[in-house]
């Protein structure tokens, strides 16, 4: 069974990959099947809708990690490592609950 961290990483990669596909398509750099574009649009919309249901603290964490794809210790100007880990765990759980994963 996947951990919450693993699920979030998969969602973040999927979001970023879908965003790149749509961006390339919109710029005319690459063509894709309409079914693939539909999947990308649906994934992006589903994730962004879920983010919008989070409270501000949870939204801040998920937006930075999933939407923006930040890694490492990006949070240090906002949280101590221990406070961030507690809040991140709560944010992950709530985000995955909203997505029903």
């Amino acid at each position: 069974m996947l951990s919450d961290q693993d699920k979030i990483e998969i969602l973040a990669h999927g979001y970023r990959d879908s965003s790149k596909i749509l961006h390339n398509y919109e710029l005319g750099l690459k063509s894709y099947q309409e079914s693939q574009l539909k999947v990308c649009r649906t994934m992006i919309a589903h994730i962004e809708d879920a983010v919008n249901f989070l409270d501000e603290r949870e939204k801040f964490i998920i937006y930075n990690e999933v939407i923006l794809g930040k890694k490492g210790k990006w949070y240090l100007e906002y949280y101590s490592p221990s406070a961030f880990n507690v809040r991140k765990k709560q944010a992950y759980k709530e985000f995955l609950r909203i997505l029903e994963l």
Side-chain angles (χ1 to χ4, degrees), residues 42-63:
T42 301
M43 172 179 258
I44 288 169
H46 196 59
I47 288 174
E48 288 177 353
D49 287 347
V51 169
N52 287 328
F53 278 103
L54 297 170
D55 72 25
E56 289 306 312
R57 283 185 181 174
E58 294 164 345
K59 185 183 291 188
F60 177 73
I61 291 169
I62 298 301
Y63 184 82

Side-chain angles (χ1 to χ4, degrees), residues 59-71 74:
K59 185 183 291 188
F60 177 73
I61 291 169
I62 298 301
Y63 184 82
N64 278 281
E65 295 206 345
V66 175
I67 305 294
L68 298 180
K70 291 184 180 178
K71 296 201 179 276
W74 63 268

